[in-house]
Amino acid sequence: MAINVLLSITVLTKLVPCALAQVQHFYSNPTLAPPTLVVETYNRSLTDNGYIFMTPFQDTQPSPLIFHSDGTLVWDGRAYVDGLQGHDLTVCEFNEASNLCFMYGVQESGYARGSGLILDQTYTQVLNVTSGNDQPALDQHEFFVKDNGTTVLVTIYKQIPFDAATSAPGNTALENVTWLQVGIFQHIELATNKVLFEWQSSDFVPVSASYIQPGTTDISGDGSSASTAWDYFHINSVDMFENGDYLVSGRHVKTVYRISGTDGTIVWQLNGKTSDFTQDFTFDFQHNARVRSETGSTVVISVYDNGSDDSPPSTGKSKPGYEPYSAGKVLSLDTSANTSTLTDWYVSPGKQLSTSQGDLQYLPNGNKFMGMGDLPFAVEFTDNSTGDATVAYYAHLENNNTDTFSSYRNFKFEWIAQPAAPPDLFVYAQNCSTSPIFYASWNGATEVNSWRFQTSNESTGPFSNVATVMKKGFETHTTVAAGEFNLFTIAEARGAFGELLGTSSIVQTFVPATSIANCTSTSCGTTLNYTTAATLTCPVAPSMRKHHNSASTYGHHFTA
């Protein structure tokens, strides 16, 4: 995998972020405009292998994204969400192979409506997962493939009528609430979309457990209508124990629950108003609760402790000196003694307070990878238990305004892919006598090592090799010797051993018409519509029809 070459260079690199980085643009694929991943700390000797997975939203171009650790774009999946939102992008197992899994849909206030997508290593859709039992569409908060790729855990938000006199007698703060928003999770069999298990918060958790009153936050809802139902629970993660029980997190109740996989009853609850444990910590409005181990009566879980909900953080959440910052936390529970202990905690070097979203991931080498949710930061820590783990990696997304978007969860995974779609190519020449510049990219390809460019003055060939260059960044560009103008070009993506991985379509050289101003030797800017209507027709002199190192035997790879 190409990333291994990068990570084998054991040096410490610090990159200073630009004060105002622009979104990225690519001549070979102008439909893409991802934000920039600004890398502030990258210690190659300490980081684990893998790419950075992010899903920015509330942005002008929401999209699931994969980056190299150095900030280079690998894949922009905007075509798969088509203007909607994508969340929770991971590498998952399905059909005994690695796949991409994520949820996409319409963003609502604090949740989403959509479905889950599974893409194979060619970025071809192999499955679209929907909710069952006539429940509303899937929510953004969880799409977690389990059981060796045979099942998935998903969340759902549902609005139901609410009678305060029956459900909360005497609570005058709720007397005007007529609609309640409840959290549901389903355990679904992927092969059949059959619901294996379903749980609904209102069947087991009373509204009195909530810390969020109606109409008090931007996502709480006032409960006066179905469209503004009071979100008393706010389910945001589901995981499984080996015995079939479930671990459920409710943000607005500040509680993590162990749910019986048999009848849905609460086995135990941690934190919140009625915790079953004595604690040397608390957490506030947490996300991404995960089962890490269970041995006898000892259960280890992790949570991302936001520590805030657009309000001042409470005290006593963690060790002294680490407040008021959001943190990834590892918690050890003794279920026989009903005690719980904070064993590890991870705080961003920026000591930020993220008011929503976020996650803590365990990496194969023992490192921890943390995403900060509504603050689009990603941090990798070395594995230790001192509370001062070394920061091996620290980066954030940035575009014209860093306050305009979030990334629900950020992850790090190894990933190998060769797209079914061909590589993209754009060829530009300032006029009919200058050498063209080749711009090549292949969205999502991980194994490209070099690009070979071949040209001809006939669309049918034969084509001649004119340049072979090492891949550099998402989009590689190069030119040829002066005077080597050609009308048509194809680009071949080559692997580490020179093997052919993919071939672009035949592309005609774009030469700007004389009516187009401000064109330079390299381009006419990123906003120009490079269409054939704006292309100057160049005559081809007989002397320009020469060919060398004929590659016409490769013709079966080309499409005119």
Side-chain angles (χ1 to χ4, degrees):
M1 190 173 179
I3 194 72
N4 292 331
V5 176
L6 176 64
L7 295 177
S8 66
I9 306 173
T10 55
V11 297
L12 176 64
T13 302
K14 282 206 154 189
L15 303 176
V16 179
C18 298
L20 194 63
Q22 303 292 319
V23 294
Q24 301 181 70
H25 296 281
F26 306 103
Y27 296 107
S28 56
N29 197 334
T31 63
L32 306 182
T36 301
L37 182 64
V38 179
V39 181
E40 300 191 27
T41 300
Y42 181 13
N43 190 326
R44 290 164 169 83
S45 66
L46 297 178
T47 54
D48 203 353
N49 293 342
Y51 297 110
I52 311 301
F53 288 60
M54 308 182 86
T55 51
F57 70 108
Q58 299 173 333
D59 191 14
T60 56
Q61 193 182 78
S63 178
L65 301 173
I66 303 176
F67 293 94
H68 281 278
S69 292
D70 65 2
T72 301
L73 181 68
V74 175
W75 179 65
D76 185 325
R78 76 178 294 246
Y80 294 86
V81 298
D82 193 24
L84 302 178
Q85 307 289 348
H87 295 286
D88 210 18
L89 177 66
T90 64
V91 173
C92 64
E93 182 180 356
F94 181 68
N95 286 340
E96 300 182 346
S98 294
N99 293 261
L100 289 185
C101 288
F102 60 96
M103 178 274 172
Y104 82 105
V106 178
Q107 193 69 43
E108 304 287 354
S109 180
Y111 66 100
R113 297 277 195 225
S115 60
L117 280 186
I118 299 182
L119 310 179
D120 67 15
Q121 289 171 293
T122 69
Y123 300 97
T124 300
Q125 179 180 315
V126 295
L127 203 62
N128 186 303
V129 182
T130 58
S131 59
N133 295 347
D134 295 322
Q135 295 287 14
L138 300 188
D139 163 58
Q140 73 190 53
H141 286 93
E142 198 70 88
F143 189 74
F144 195 3
V145 174
K146 304 291 287 183
D147 298 324
N148 298 317
T150 61
T151 67
V152 65
L153 296 170
V154 300
T155 51
I156 298 168
Y157 277 60
K158 184 177 183 178
Q159 296 76 37
I160 63 173
F162 178 75
D163 182 1
T166 302
S167 301
N171 190 336
T172 57
L174 303 181
E175 60 187 13
N176 295 322
V177 174
T178 57
W179 285 89
L180 190 69
Q181 186 158 272
V182 300
I184 297 172
F185 80 81
Q186 291 183 340
H187 189 187
I188 297 174
E189 184 177 58
L190 288 172
T192 63
N193 217 74
K194 176 184 176 182
V195 176
L196 304 176
F197 188 85
E198 180 177 295
W199 184 86
Q200 181 170 306
S201 63
S202 57
D203 293 335
F204 301 96
V205 180
V207 295
S208 59
S210 185
Y211 286 84
I212 299 298
Q213 294 301 304
T216 57
T217 74
D218 59 350
I219 66 169
S220 66
D222 62 12
S224 63
S225 66
S227 62
T228 62
W230 174 36
D231 184 7
Y232 90 103
F233 188 79
H234 200 88
I235 189 170
N236 61 21
S237 71
V238 189
D239 197 1
M240 286 188 69
F241 290 88
E242 288 188 2
N243 74 338
D245 287 350
Y246 300 92
L247 187 72
V248 175
S249 169
R251 169 184 169 183
H252 287 174
V253 292
K254 300 186 185 180
T255 304
V256 173
Y257 302 87
R258 181 169 187 157
I259 303 299
S260 169
T262 303
D263 58 14
T265 55
I266 296 173
V267 178
W268 50 251
Q269 50 192 320
L270 175 69
N271 208 59
K273 295 181 180 179
T274 55
S275 178
D276 291 320
F277 298 86
T278 59
Q279 305 172 200
D280 68 353
F281 62 89
T282 63
F283 48 78
D284 293 314
F285 306 105
Q286 77 291 337
H287 284 76
N288 193 227
R290 288 290 184 253
V291 179
R292 297 306 176 185
S293 66
E294 182 172 22
T295 305
S297 62
T298 301
V299 176
V300 177
I301 68 171
S302 65
V303 299
Y304 180 75
D305 178 12
N306 292 86
S308 176
D309 193 50
D310 293 320
S311 60
S314 66
T315 59
K317 295 193 306 297
S318 61
K319 304 290 184 180
Y322 283 86
E323 299 185 81
Y325 316 127
S326 300
K329 293 183 175 180
V330 181
L331 313 172
S332 180
L333 285 61
D334 185 333
T335 58
S336 61
N338 285 0
T339 59
S340 55
T341 305
L342 175 67
T343 60
D344 290 314
W345 63 101
Y346 301 90
V347 176
S348 164
K351 297 181 179 179
Q352 298 98 330
L353 188 67
S354 58
T355 60
S356 69
Q357 310 161 73
D359 66 290
L360 183 68
Q361 177 192 12
Y362 280 34
L363 298 180
N365 74 343
N367 283 4
K368 306 299 184 294
F369 194 82
M370 188 170 75
M372 300 197 66
D374 72 324
L375 302 176
F377 285 77
V379 194
E380 183 174 347
F381 303 90
T382 56
D383 181 36
N384 65 49
S385 303
T386 67
D388 295 310
T390 299
V391 174
Y393 185 80
Y394 184 46
H396 68 276
L397 289 175
E398 188 174 84
N399 63 8
N400 295 340
N401 183 347
T402 57
D403 294 328
T404 61
F405 61 97
S406 305
S407 182
Y408 172 55
R409 289 173 177 168
N410 301 328
F411 297 101
K412 189 172 191 179
F413 293 103
E414 293 194 76
W415 173 242
I416 297 176
Q418 183 168 315
D424 294 298
L425 174 66
F426 175 69
V427 185
Y428 172 88
Q430 188 173 15
N431 55 58
C432 296
S433 61
T434 57
S435 300
I437 299 176
F438 309 122
Y439 297 90
S441 65
W442 200 2
N443 188 22
T446 61
E447 305 307 295
V448 178
N449 185 66
S450 64
W451 289 98
R452 178 178 296 177
F453 299 96
Q454 301 175 343
T455 62
S456 174
N457 281 312
E458 304 288 347
S459 63
T460 55
F463 285 77
S464 301
N465 298 329
V466 294
T468 300
V469 296
M470 299 299 292
K471 177 180 180 292
K472 184 177 181 180
F474 180 82
E475 181 176 71
T476 300
H477 67 274
T478 191
T479 188
V480 294
E484 290 281 345
F485 179 86
N486 289 100
L487 283 178
F488 301 98
T489 305
I490 61 101
E492 293 181 344
R494 296 276 170 168
F497 301 98
E499 70 276 19
L500 179 65
L501 300 178
T503 304
S504 73
S505 300
I506 296 172
V507 172
Q508 182 177 342
T509 301
F510 179 89
V511 180
T514 54
S515 59
I516 301 175
N518 302 320
C519 292
T520 68
S521 60
T522 58
S523 75
C524 296
T526 59
T527 58
L528 176 68
N529 183 15
Y530 289 90
T531 64
T532 55
T535 303
L536 183 67
T537 301
C538 292
V540 180
S543 61
M544 297 178 67
R545 296 183 183 275
K546 64 183 179 179
H547 302 287
H548 54 86
N549 298 325
S550 176
S552 59
T553 55
Y554 291 23
H556 65 281
H557 295 302
F558 306 155
T559 55

